[in-house]
């Protein structure tokens, strides 16, 4: 096996997306669209991968910052796919082997398909191999023209095709394998004498044929895979196909997904066996979920680490948080970034947390805000408790020791602390530190004015 490089074309704007954002950076199943074909090329063994960039070049480039196998080539003016590849060749000077050419807008392409194509290309010692597909409606694509004996003779674009050629159902996917020597020797021979006045990469096929070199077309079994995304309708279709693939692999790994059609799990998420995921959930941004968890309906989990046997109840939102084992959250709870919950913690309905550490076995079961706080073990937070963490300028810390009982409707005006085993009575506003083993109570004494209503009338 020789060495392998790839060129990914991504200089175009993607006008039909009608977006301020370049097409190839639109996210699909948790990655920018272009990251999918790049991953396929990488998994097929390609190094380096040259991205041809033009529109929003900086944004595309920074998407791959730190990736040592990525090189970028600038195409200032988009003069056609042939011109785009010519721009990439400088970044491949000194490279000898096979060059894969892909488009940045084909997120469904799998590395297995690329590997099969490469094998076919190399086994047949071809100069050029193009991946093709048979389409019922080939409109818009380049068509593969074959001679009477079935050999590929050229590709003709929709806008240049005569009525007979327009009947051809075998289309060009825009994915090719080419011998690097052939590519660099012939790329300059491409002209722009065609309907669009563009340099068509596809002209290389006719050039190879004219020179008596082997030029092959390999029809793919799954036409879905080469689907190019041009507008937001196709973006949604591509996302659906990827979602199915992702969900399928989790299910095969032992995760129960009650309704895969309405479960949105991004690429690169880890979920342990025997975890059950109910409909309407979104899970993304590198989340790791342990074994035997139950994630009820309409839960959103982004960038979280969740231990085994956790129970996340309906409609909760979890962001950048860490949960130990056997933690219960929700329904309708909001864990904001920096929440760290120890084993067996219970967070109930309408509880919001932010930047807190909560020790093992502690509970906040109802209607509470805990922000910028450190809570020990076995703390009970009563209904309606609020950490008043913000004075309008700065955020302040609340510290609560082990085995503390906070009654209902308590405000903890930070910075403030409550020592181990203390009890804060319901309705208290805590403004000074509570020592350990104490009772804190601050209430206006109650007055009953008897007969008051009668006098009013
Ligand atoms: C191209 C093929 C067509 C094939 C189709 C498959 C040519 C001439 N035609 O047509 O046979 O059926 O793909 O989807 O190649 N790009 C650049 N710089 C340019 C022009 C394009 O980077 O100067 C990039 C685009 O951003 C895009 C890709 O190349 O990612 C394809 O270009 P596009 O103009 O969409 O080609 P098609 O007309 O679809
Ligand atoms: Ca009160």
């Amino acid at each position: 096996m020789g060495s392998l490089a790839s060129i990914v074309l991504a200089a175009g704007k993607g006008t039909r997306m009608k977006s301020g954002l370049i097409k190839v950076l639109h996210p699909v199943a948790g990655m920018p669209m272009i990251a999918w074909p790049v991953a396929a090329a990488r998994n097929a063994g390609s190094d380096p991968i040259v991205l041809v960039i033009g529109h929003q070049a900086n944004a595309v480039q920074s998407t791959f910052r730190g990736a040592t196998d990525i090189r970028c080539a600038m195409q200032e003016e988009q003069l056609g796919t042939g011109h785009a590849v010519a721009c990439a060749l400088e970044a491949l000077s000194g490279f000898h082997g096979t060059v894969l050419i892909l488009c940045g807008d084909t997120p469904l392409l799998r590395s297995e398909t690329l590997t099969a194509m490469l094998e076919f290309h190399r086994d047949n010692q071809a100069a050029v191999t193009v991946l093709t597909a048979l389409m019922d409606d080939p409109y818009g694509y380049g068509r593969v023209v074959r001679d009477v004996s079935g050999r590929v003779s050229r590709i003709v674009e929709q806008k240049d095709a005569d009525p007979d050629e327009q009947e051809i159902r075998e289309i060009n996917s825009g994915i090719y394998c080419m011998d690097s020597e052939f590519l660099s020797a012939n790329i300059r021979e491409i002209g722009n004498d065609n309907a669009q006045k563009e340099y068509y990469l596809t002209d290389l096929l006719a050039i190879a044929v004219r020179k008596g070199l082997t030029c092959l077309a390999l029809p793919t079994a799954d036409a879905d895979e080469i689907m190019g995304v041009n507008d937001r309708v196709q973006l949604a279709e591509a996302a659906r196909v990827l979602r199915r693939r992702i969900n399928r692999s989790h299910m095969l790994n032992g995760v129960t997904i009650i309704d895969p059609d309405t479960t949105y799990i991004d690429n690169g998420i880890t979920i342990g066996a025997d975890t059950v995921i109910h409909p309407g959930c979104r899970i993304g941004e590198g989340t790791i979920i342990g074994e035997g968890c139950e994630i009820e309906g309409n839960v959103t989990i982004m960038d979280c680490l969740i231990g085994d046997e956790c129970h996340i109840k309906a409609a909760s939102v979890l962001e950048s948080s860490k949960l130990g084992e056997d933690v219960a959250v929700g329904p309708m709870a909001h864990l904001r970034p920096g929440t760290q919950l120890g084993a067996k913690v219970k967070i109930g309905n309408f509880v919001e947390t932010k930047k807190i550490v909560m020790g093992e076995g502690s509970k906040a079961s109802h209607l509470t805000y805990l922000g910028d706080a450190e809570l020990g073990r076995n703390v009970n937070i009563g209904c309606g408790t609020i950490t008043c963490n913000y004075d309008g300028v700065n955020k302040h810390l609340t510290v609560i020791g082990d085995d503390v009982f906070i009654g209902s409707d308590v405000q903890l005006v930070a910075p403030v602390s409550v020592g181990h085993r203390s009890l804060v009575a319901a309705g208290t506003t805590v403004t000074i530190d509570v020592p350990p083993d104490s009772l804190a109570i601050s209430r206006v004494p109650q007055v009953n004015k008897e007969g008051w209503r009668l006098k009013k009338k």
Side-chain angles (χ1 to χ4, degrees):
M1 190 124 139
S3 51
L4 181 66
S6 292
I7 298 172
V8 181
L9 306 185
K13 181 171 186 297
T15 312
R16 281 170 284 175
M17 293 296 282
K18 302 198 173 147
S19 174
L21 183 67
I22 184 180
K23 174 169 75 179
V24 295
L25 290 187
H26 276 256
V28 198
M31 298 209 287
M33 194 186 300
I34 190 176
W36 289 95
V38 164
R42 188 178 281 144
N43 293 337
S46 177
D47 188 359
I49 298 167
V50 181
L51 310 181
V52 180
I53 56 179
H55 283 278
Q56 298 180 19
N58 288 338
V60 181
Q61 212 162 359
S62 56
T63 299
F64 295 97
R65 208 197 325 267
T68 51
D69 55 349
I70 301 286
R71 298 177 191 173
C72 289
M74 195 64 191
Q75 186 193 24
E76 303 282 353
E77 245 187 311
Q78 281 76 59
L79 303 177
T81 48
H83 178 252
V85 168
C87 292
L89 288 185
E90 204 177 314
L92 286 181
S93 66
F95 172 84
H96 299 282
T98 308
V99 181
L100 265 174
I101 301 175
L102 315 170
C103 292
D105 62 357
T106 54
L108 302 183
L109 182 66
R110 292 177 316 129
S111 64
E112 291 86 344
T113 303
L114 292 180
T115 304
M117 182 191 184
L118 273 167
E119 230 174 74
F120 180 79
H121 176 80
R122 285 166 174 164
D123 287 352
N124 291 288
Q125 296 180 321
V128 186
T129 300
V130 56
L131 191 68
T132 68
L134 290 171
M135 294 234 171
D136 292 332
D137 179 14
Y139 184 84
Y141 286 100
R143 311 295 212 286
V144 179
V145 182
R146 292 178 184 262
D147 66 17
V148 279
S149 58
R151 275 192 295 256
V152 177
S153 50
R154 62 198 175 90
I155 288 174
V156 61
E157 293 304 298
Q158 174 75 39
K159 287 181 179 151
D160 301 289
D162 66 29
D164 281 346
E165 288 164 342
Q166 286 182 25
E167 293 296 309
I168 298 172
R169 287 179 48 230
E170 187 179 17
I171 62 100
N172 169 23
S173 69
I175 297 157
Y176 319 81
C177 286
M178 297 200 195
D179 173 60
S180 63
E181 318 300 314
F182 166 76
L183 190 55
S184 43
N186 293 284
I187 193 84
R188 309 267 163 216
E189 289 198 26
I190 296 174
N192 66 349
D193 181 18
N194 52 53
Q196 305 184 79
K197 294 279 167 280
E198 280 183 8
Y199 294 88
Y200 290 166
L201 180 63
T202 46
D203 285 357
L204 279 179
L205 279 83
I207 291 171
V209 170
R210 200 173 67 224
K211 297 195 170 175
L213 300 167
T214 310
C215 175
L216 301 171
L218 177 65
T220 168
D222 178 10
D224 251 12
E225 233 185 88
I226 55 143
M227 178 186 125
V229 171
N230 292 312
D231 55 35
R232 299 197 199 225
V233 175
Q234 290 169 325
L235 180 70
E237 280 167 17
R240 187 168 47 85
V241 174
L242 288 172
R243 192 150 70 231
R244 285 205 174 141
R245 274 189 211 160
I246 291 168
N247 289 347
R248 188 184 146 78
S249 80
H250 286 297
M251 290 188 282
L252 293 176
N253 283 338
V255 177
T256 293
I257 297 180
I258 304 288
D259 182 9
D261 285 337
T262 61
T263 302
Y264 307 83
I265 304 174
D266 284 346
N267 184 55
I269 305 299
T270 306
I271 307 175
D274 289 323
T275 285
V276 178
I277 301 175
H278 291 262
C281 291
R282 289 175 55 220
I283 303 172
E285 292 174 14
T287 290
I288 299 176
I289 298 177
E291 294 182 1
C293 294
E294 181 156 10
I295 316 290
E296 292 186 8
N298 300 308
V299 163
T300 298
I301 303 175
M302 294 291 157
D303 180 33
C304 289
L305 251 168
I306 297 182
D308 296 339
E309 310 288 338
C310 286
H311 188 175
I312 314 299
K313 299 178 195 174
S316 295
V317 176
L318 285 65
E319 309 167 83
S320 304
S321 295
K322 282 186 193 160
L323 282 62
E325 285 178 22
D326 200 11
V327 169
V329 173
M332 292 158 291
H334 187 184
L335 307 188
R336 290 171 50 208
T339 296
Q340 290 185 46
L341 308 178
K344 299 189 191 304
V345 160
K346 181 170 184 271
I347 297 289
N349 40 200
F350 305 107
V351 172
E352 175 182 342
T353 64
K354 186 218 74 175
K355 240 180 157 180
I356 65 159
V357 180
M358 221 165 152
E360 189 174 335
S362 290
K363 293 185 175 70
S365 299
H366 338 262
L367 296 156
T368 286
Y369 172 62
L370 297 172
D372 301 295
E374 291 170 14
L375 288 77
R377 298 153 68 103
N378 300 315
V379 171
N380 185 84
I381 300 289
C383 177
T385 295
I386 299 167
T387 52
C388 308
N389 58 328
Y390 187 46
D391 59 12
V393 182
N394 295 309
K395 302 282 168 68
H396 300 284
L397 190 68
T398 300
V399 179
I400 299 174
D402 295 342
D403 303 304
V404 163
F405 185 96
I406 307 276
S408 296
D409 189 28
V410 165
Q411 298 89 49
L412 297 142
V413 181
V416 78
S417 67
V418 180
H420 298 317
R421 293 175 301 277
S422 282
L423 190 150
V424 178
T428 296
T429 301
V430 182
T431 53
I432 46 177
D433 291 349
V434 181
D437 299 301
S438 314
L439 168 70
I441 181 163
S442 77
R443 290 180 195 157
V444 177
Q446 182 173 337
V447 176
N448 289 341
K449 299 189 175 176
E450 286 182 39
W452 183 83
R453 281 300 295 274
L454 297 172
K455 272 183 244 160
K456 275 266 165 187
K457 277 180 190 158

